[in-house]
Amino acid sequence: MVGAVKQKPAAQRLVYLNGRFVPEQEARISIFDSALMYGDMVFEMTRTFRREPFLLDRHLDRLYDSIRYARIECGLSQAQMLAATHQTIERNREALGDYDFQIMHNVTRGGMALYAELVREGTAPVVTINVIPLIRHVGGSADAYERGAHFVTTTQRSVPARYIDPKAKNRSRIYYKLAELEAARIEPGAMALLTDERGFITEGTGNNFFLVRDGEVLTPKPHDILRGVSRGYCMELARAAGIPVHEMDVEPYDVRQASEAWYTSTSIAMVPVTRFNGGPVGSGAPGPIYRRLLSAWSTSVGVDIPAQAKQYAGLAADWRP
Amino acid sequence: MVGAVKQKPAAQRLVYLNGRFVPEQEARISIFDSALMYGDMVFEMTRTFRREPFLLDRHLDRLYDSIRYARIECGLSQAQMLAATHQTIERNREALGDYDFQIMHNVTRGGMALYAELVREGTAPVVTINVIPLIRHVGGSADAYERGAHFVTTTQRSVPARYIDPKAKNRSRIYYKLAELEAARIEPGAMALLTDERGFITEGTGNNFFLVRDGEVLTPKPHDILRGVSRGYCMELARAAGIPVHEMDVEPYDVRQASEAWYTSTSIAMVPVTRFNGGPVGSGAPGPIYRRLLSAWSTSVGVDIPAQAKQYAGLAADWRP
Amino acid sequence: MVGAVKQKPAAQRLVYLNGRFVPEQEARISIFDSALMYGDMVFEMTRTFRREPFLLDRHLDRLYDSIRYARIECGLSQAQMLAATHQTIERNREALGDYDFQIMHNVTRGGMALYAELVREGTAPVVTINVIPLIRHVGGSADAYERGAHFVTTTQRSVPARYIDPKAKNRSRIYYKLAELEAARIEPGAMALLTDERGFITEGTGNNFFLVRDGEVLTPKPHDILRGVSRGYCMELARAAGIPVHEMDVEPYDVRQASEAWYTSTSIAMVPVTRFNGGPVGSGAPGPIYRRLLSAWSTSVGVDIPAQAKQYAGLAADWRP
Amino acid sequence: MVGAVKQKPAAQRLVYLNGRFVPEQEARISIFDSALMYGDMVFEMTRTFRREPFLLDRHLDRLYDSIRYARIECGLSQAQMLAATHQTIERNREALGDYDFQIMHNVTRGGMALYAELVREGTAPVVTINVIPLIRHVGGSADAYERGAHFVTTTQRSVPARYIDPKAKNRSRIYYKLAELEAARIEPGAMALLTDERGFITEGTGNNFFLVRDGEVLTPKPHDILRGVSRGYCMELARAAGIPVHEMDVEPYDVRQASEAWYTSTSIAMVPVTRFNGGPVGSGAPGPIYRRLLSAWSTSVGVDIPAQAKQYAGLAADWRP
Amino acid sequence: MVGAVKQKPAAQRLVYLNGRFVPEQEARISIFDSALMYGDMVFEMTRTFRREPFLLDRHLDRLYDSIRYARIECGLSQAQMLAATHQTIERNREALGDYDFQIMHNVTRGGMALYAELVREGTAPVVTINVIPLIRHVGGSADAYERGAHFVTTTQRSVPARYIDPKAKNRSRIYYKLAELEAARIEPGAMALLTDERGFITEGTGNNFFLVRDGEVLTPKPHDILRGVSRGYCMELARAAGIPVHEMDVEPYDVRQASEAWYTSTSIAMVPVTRFNGGPVGSGAPGPIYRRLLSAWSTSVGVDIPAQAKQYAGLAADWRP
Amino acid sequence: MVGAVKQKPAAQRLVYLNGRFVPEQEARISIFDSALMYGDMVFEMTRTFRREPFLLDRHLDRLYDSIRYARIECGLSQAQMLAATHQTIERNREALGDYDFQIMHNVTRGGMALYAELVREGTAPVVTINVIPLIRHVGGSADAYERGAHFVTTTQRSVPARYIDPKAKNRSRIYYKLAELEAARIEPGAMALLTDERGFITEGTGNNFFLVRDGEVLTPKPHDILRGVSRGYCMELARAAGIPVHEMDVEPYDVRQASEAWYTSTSIAMVPVTRFNGGPVGSGAPGPIYRRLLSAWSTSVGVDIPAQAKQYAGLAADWRP
């Protein structure tokens, strides 16, 4: 399903920034913007399949929910944001070539009033939209579809939603970074799996977690996690395939008893989790339900997802984003 | 004690950015830096009295503790950071004129590896140091020394230290902003006073809280708060004055029973809290221990702090930072 | 469906008090009764539709469960309580006229042994039953059916059931009153919406909360709330209408994403919640599912509920309860 | 120190009720008062020694703090409340005879607006003050000074202060009554000792708890308890005697290791706790520090407290309050 | 369905111990084994019906999950453990006679390295398997099938799974014993019913809890409990009988409202719970759904369970295990 | 101070077991004893210096407190236990030679009534006392006094005292073992440092933790830890040396800011902690206060503790316990 891929095009990509288009290296935010003073920024990350944005409406719905959570007056209606998104894609069509690409939206609250004159945009919010081929992001994970990921639980836990709501996709997430560093100390290459205050699993740092037991798909309850668009899509694929799906309290115990596990994320769809806290998950290899759902996903979007990843992996070494 | 103040000088202020000096409007961070992807930045805010940095060593000690917490390899030793700070002040001497000024340090982890080429600094951390006269910051609070602040407790609570440690001065603080917005909805002009999961008071959003009962100074325990340098200095002033100081679990009940309350922050030292949740604190006016400690502070730094604020207030309208 | 309403009748209403009938102003409890020493009283509140008690059996079932919770030996069997209720209604038939009315049951544990002789009833429990036309209660909410209520979350939270079980309808509820006062400080006219220790919504202060998302009716789990009889009836109406109903953990996030919300209470059935924490719920107006269920309720009880409220509103000004 | 006691006088005692004086059996509150609708009442309990109110100022200070907590506008200043208290005592001088007596203050918020006309006092708060000889209260505990009390921990825990603050002496305390009933089921005559959510001891149901270890007096932290006036006085007596006193987290473990324990309450000052959860505390008999402090208390107030209790015990059988 | 039972046979029973067979009195573990140093042992308890092990595969599945939880390298594969189990039964066939019997598996981690030479087995794990007729265990409960058990909640709570996971059947359960002792102090013969930190019911000390409300079977959620094999079987029987079964948060409130309750355990299948915290459950007698499920169980295993218990009760007095 | 050490003697050591003396390999507990069924055993571990038991009275005080916690009727008074201890030492004098040795006491509740005949001791408790030269225990840690230990925090947390009280030295401690295994997975050779539910440090798995900041010695609060006898002794040494000591809430933050840290345990007194979570503690080497206190300890007991450890290390290879 993966079409031929042309050489990386010469055209320079540009980033939408409050209505202007600037080179990527100019996509910068003032240190006096609330975004940097407080981690006070919301965002979205979307990808394309066959160069069509995947579930873009759901991503923008969530972006506007995050905006309401943060009570930012961003200056664009959701329709205008959609138009700006398409404008950004069009402007970069040549530069993007035939690759699938990511679409990242960022919205800040704007410069602090105290420092208004020191900020180019004054106190106005800063909206950026950027598009980047997924060569490196997807290509770098090409072997993960077979080898699988290793998850470890960390002493760094999820921030409960009553403190900072992870369902709003905000940028106050230093604890993600701290968890990633801790996981790497435990075992090189391991990824962090967060838990909540009661010991239930929540999410990875930028992905959602699933497991299979007795032929049913289980995933953590939707409170202390980002409700990923890919997570929702994966649940729909399973239900369409007649596989029961339950949102429930998932414990490390359940992972030890699972026959399969995987995580979902926007850029790479579904990756099997084959090891957990130093032991194998199920047989230690990608399982049949995982394969079935990934295949359904590939079919649905018209892209053989693992094959595309391999293709991109071959390009990544020479590629300069 | 406040000396004569000259006209605002014409020279342009410059910001230290990884060894270079750039105009303030150029002090910007890439949207692909970990600082914006994760709120993954640490910082410090220091002020001068009589143009001498106040307790700069303590601020830099804390900055390097925050750096260790975040496990950032920032590329500068603490001695080098101190030298860069002095270099930044010297470079801006003319532009700063005779005003006291703030010194802000920011340290990011650097560009995400995935996007390294899109970031001017690559994956190197970004260190910025800026200096800005306190005209607006201090002048804007000039009447607070007599009128006092109104604090309200919010449903937005402090993030417990086991999730994100507030003792490390990091930028993942969207909950500060959310609390401020909530306080303003409760009563225009009110400031947020955060509480912990058990209902004990922690801190304001960028300040530390004190109260007086039976002639003793009480302040929240040092776990779920930023241990402010001004907080520490205020405690030292009280002890030097023979007033007992206790770090303890402070409840809203204690505020209702207090004879005085105030908050401390770097830029404006000590401001009385005269109202709490809609009722007066003590007599509703600044109390004797507050006045005594603020006076001791003024004497100690050679600046009549409220008088300076009034002077700066007179300048603020015409002043362009 | 609302019949013609006669003038307020002249006959005086009487309150059942341990088998006697006394004027309402005599319905008083000794300050030495456990009810006032400890908030140690249980109660029920029922209303009529077309002068027939609505789901009285369920109310009495719950009253006797509350009695068991409080371990009060009230001296009446549930059948006797039912008989006393009917006796009270009969005795007041003339005084009640053609209005629908409330029925309130109160049961105390009785006078403290230490003070037995100071209490008219000695250490015997005090059972009172009173009936009052709903003119003011219902009439005062007449415009709420269209305008809707504004709910705000408060720092005052629900007392968890393991401390005092709200499922037992007891009178130790000063926190309801404190929450109401807090809500009024946040915004005049706003009503309090309580949350639990983990930030999930529980109930209003005397009402239950519902919302609609994706065409499904959601309501908080039945642990830290009063399981209102009207709540149960509303769920039955929804299910009868083919609308899925789920008891689940409901967060403020869910209200922001809801298309509709309402609350239920005995006296006024269902009132839309059109604002939440200062923003609109859904479109900010009563929604289609709300209207459909209220209409079903009206049909079911033979009273056009909003119309009755308007009618009573017209009478309320002149009415003296 | 206990003087001769005359026969019970014939004069009838009267209760202050909103400025009037009524017989005790008339001291009743409308079932439509917020006090009974919500447990929304605050109170105080003081006693006399040698017919002089003991630390009345502290009790009234606390009463007015409770009033502020509940945000009741009670209509009397603290000075007016004091005057009304003395007026009540004077009015009852003859009826009180030579006995020491209790003084109980109650303040309600008043009738609910909805039912205003059904309440004699309308929506005005109801203030009552009553005085009763301590014959039965004190006499009934006469043997406790030697035999000691048996405390058992219950599954019913203290309501944490963040839900309902026990430091405000309010009447929403059905959990006290439930704990007392549970203690009696565990062992006849046993009294309940409450614990908090983390298992630390808080208080009894109407008394404060102390223990002795290594010659030091320990008592629970002052957050989730009523800060009893007698508790404070006992701490002062210990300090005056050169005995260290610490407020700390007290666990059942500490009681098992204590050499002595006691509780304090207004009416009976200090009673030893000689058994805990079915085992002896220390030697199982009143300890030397207990005896020393009780003796100091007796000396301080000019009443041999245990002797008075014995004397009153002799009168209690014939006495009608 | 209960067959004739022969006299207790003369042959001595033997215990499997690391491949050897030893008399029961020799089935001992070194005090230097990790099992005694840390409570570091896992186990299973199975019974037979008609001398066939009941659901042995499920018990061994769980045993190996416990082994993985404890990270013990026990030296036997699950198949080998099964073989050793059958070998143990065969070896004891004569000694077991016609009685049904228990099968207990124990696995320790082995001697601490520090003390290796002091332990007969060195640092090797110790696996024991023993079989004992159920005469006393089952016979002793014969009247419980009609009389029912009395459960009381204790201040001793379940250890949450995040500290020690009860789903792994480990031997660090002193809190079970402490709860049993506490229950016996509350009322002779009462059994302990544990609750979790939020007050929800978890399990008994060695059994699982069920109740019936509105014709549905409810049982606590499967997190902080041992997921008993009998519990699972009981749920299957109910579903097979068309009775809905829900795992949910169960509160003491629910028990007060239940029409029936029972517990399940390996040796005695299902016993009605007829009293709870001093009051009756439902009618206070075994209920119809209990009877129906117990009957289905008896049918399914070919043993009239209560009849067998009565028969064994008649033998127990003379029986020496 | 370390005297000459003779060759390991030929005499066999014997273990006290309920009044008899048995070879160490016979010191075994029945699998039907409550100790193995429930982890229901309490114990003590004491060592000698110069062959004199060190603070034996404190150890036995604690043993009897543990016995009261577990409500075991062990059959020996504390004086009898002391006598049995001395008897055990005397009986082994020749076998112990000139080495210092450990003394371990174990007390079980005894055989389960159900299995009484299968247990040699019947239902009587089993008391064992054993003595073993510290050659291997102390010798194996000889280089730790200079190199220091590496502590890592684990996801396995301390069981809070309200579930199982660690102040009672009981054997239900599988979580210690799980934490040790987790620490070893994080980094070979690392030791586990447990934290409580709020993230505060509690203890190691068999040792207590100390740190130094600003010249003061800090150690975790005494609630969720074993209050080690060595911990208490170390605090006394510090106070005797004029160094302030505080029991307080200690966070990982405090360890990052500490200048020194160490742990205490019975067998090896004090060992520096030089690394924490992958970074150095202070300078990464033993600090001056550590050295001073260890030296004071050595002086106090007349044994150069590190020197003895080196001496024993030289013997350990050839030594057979």
Side-chain angles (χ1 to χ4, degrees), chain D residues 181-197:
Chain D
L181 294 169
E182 182 183 346
R185 285 199 306 281
I186 295 172
E187 182 175 323
M191 296 171 66
L193 187 56
L194 298 172
T195 49
D196 72 12
E197 56 205 315

Side-chain angles (χ1 to χ4, degrees), chain C residues 205-268:
Chain C
T205 59
N207 58 69
N208 290 113
F209 185 71
F210 289 82
L211 55 82
V212 174
R213 201 175 57 200
D214 300 334
E216 298 188 333
V217 170
L218 312 179
T219 195
K221 284 189 176 171
H223 303 300
D224 287 342
I225 62 170
L226 184 80
R227 297 182 185 176
V229 171
S230 297
R231 171 184 182 267
Y233 191 68
C234 179
M235 292 166 75
E236 290 170 17
L237 288 175
R239 286 180 177 133
I243 304 169
V245 180
H246 302 291
E247 293 178 309
M248 51 174 282
D249 288 323
V250 173
E251 298 171 275
Y253 172 88
D254 296 307
V255 188
R256 285 201 313 276
Q257 298 223 323
S259 55
E260 308 183 31
W262 62 82
Y263 72 84
T264 56
S265 76
T266 294
S267 53
I268 47 181

Side-chain angles (χ1 to χ4, degrees), chain B residues 11-308:
Chain B
Q12 190 191 29
R13 290 189 308 275
L14 297 173
V15 174
Y16 173 99
L17 192 156
N18 279 10
R20 297 180 302 119
F21 282 92
V22 301
E24 282 160 330
Q25 290 209 351
E26 297 303 316
R28 296 170 78 93
I29 304 292
S30 167
I31 60 171
F32 304 108
D33 189 296
S34 188
L36 282 163
M37 301 293 280
Y38 288 97
D40 178 21
M41 177 159 84
V42 297
F43 74 110
E44 275 302 317
M45 180 73 78
T46 314
R47 71 160 283 177
T48 62
F49 285 108
R50 300 176 70 88
R51 285 157 305 285
E52 284 306 309
F54 182 60
L55 302 174
L56 178 57
D57 52 340
R58 295 190 194 176
H59 282 283
L60 292 186
D61 282 351
R62 187 171 63 188
L63 179 62
Y64 275 78
D65 184 69
S66 300
I67 284 170
R68 279 191 295 274
Y69 171 75
R71 296 180 184 262
I72 295 175
E73 301 293 335
C74 84
L76 295 181
S77 69
Q78 187 169 335
Q80 290 171 320
M81 187 67 79
L82 178 63
T85 306
H86 285 306
Q87 186 188 2
T88 305
I89 294 170
E90 284 318 304
R91 182 69 177 258
N92 286 286
R93 270 292 173 208
E94 188 188 355
L96 290 167
D98 290 341
Y99 305 118
D100 274 315
F101 53 91
Q102 70 167 49
I103 308 165
M104 183 164 66
H105 296 81
N106 280 309
V107 179
T108 82
R109 191 181 307 278
M112 303 282 286
L114 206 57
Y115 305 116
E117 294 85 348
L118 314 185
V119 182
R120 216 177 279 156
E121 297 83 1
T123 59
V126 180
V127 175
T128 63
I129 308 173
N130 69 73
V131 288
I132 306 175
L134 287 164
I135 303 297
R136 197 178 275 176
H137 215 128
V138 164
S141 300
D143 63 345
Y145 294 96
E146 281 304 318
R147 178 180 36 80
H150 183 188
F151 270 23
V152 293
T153 52
T154 53
T155 62
Q156 172 68 57
R157 305 204 161 195
S158 278
V159 178
R162 65 182 175 277
Y163 299 117
I164 301 177
D165 196 334
K167 294 182 287 294
K169 204 168 167 78
N170 70 77
R171 292 293 200 188
S172 278
R173 290 181 192 263
I174 193 172
Y175 65 99
Y176 269 22
K177 181 55 68 183
L178 296 176
E180 290 171 2
L181 294 169
E182 183 183 345
R185 285 198 308 278
I186 294 172
E187 180 175 323
M191 296 171 66
L193 186 58
L194 298 172
T195 49
D196 72 12
E197 55 204 315
R198 297 170 63 206
F200 294 121
I201 289 167
T202 52
E203 59 180 3
T205 61
N207 57 70
N208 289 113
F209 185 70
F210 290 82
L211 54 83
V212 175
R213 203 175 56 200
D214 299 334
E216 299 188 334
V217 171
L218 312 179
T219 195
K221 283 190 177 171
H223 302 301
D224 287 343
I225 63 170
L226 184 79
R227 297 182 185 177
V229 171
S230 298
R231 172 184 182 268
Y233 191 66
C234 180
M235 292 165 75
E236 290 169 18
L237 287 175
R239 285 179 178 135
I243 304 169
V245 180
H246 303 291
E247 293 177 309
M248 50 174 283
D249 288 323
V250 174
E251 297 171 274
Y253 171 88
D254 296 307
V255 189
R256 284 201 314 275
Q257 298 224 322
S259 55
E260 310 183 30
W262 62 82
Y263 72 82
T264 57
S265 76
T266 293
S267 54
I268 46 179
M270 293 173 65
V271 168
V273 176
T274 52
R275 285 173 62 75
F276 173 70
N277 280 348
V281 176
S283 68
I289 291 182
Y290 166 74
R291 290 192 192 282
R292 187 168 159 201
L293 295 180
L294 179 60
S295 172
W297 197 322
S298 291
T299 302
S300 156
V301 298
V303 173
D304 180 328
I305 292 170
Q308 186 189 57

Side-chain angles (χ1 to χ4, degrees), chain A residues 222-297:
Chain A
H223 303 299
D224 287 341
I225 62 168
L226 184 79
R227 297 181 185 177
V229 171
S230 297
R231 171 184 181 268
Y233 192 67
C234 180
M235 292 165 74
E236 289 169 18
L237 287 176
R239 285 177 179 137
I243 304 169
V245 180
H246 303 290
E247 292 177 311
M248 52 174 281
D249 288 322
V250 173
E251 298 171 275
Y253 172 87
D254 296 307
V255 188
R256 285 201 313 275
Q257 297 224 323
S259 55
E260 308 182 30
W262 62 82
Y263 72 83
T264 57
S265 76
T266 293
S267 54
I268 47 180
M270 293 173 65
V271 168
V273 176
T274 52
R275 285 173 62 76
F276 173 70
N277 280 348
V281 176
S283 68
I289 291 181
Y290 165 76
R291 291 191 190 282
R292 186 169 159 200
L293 295 180
L294 179 60
S295 173
W297 197 322

Side-chain angles (χ1 to χ4, degrees), chain D residues 103-121:
Chain D
I103 307 165
M104 182 163 67
H105 296 81
N106 278 309
V107 180
T108 83
R109 191 181 306 278
M112 305 280 288
L114 206 57
Y115 305 116
E117 293 87 348
L118 314 185
V119 182
R120 214 177 282 157
E121 297 83 3

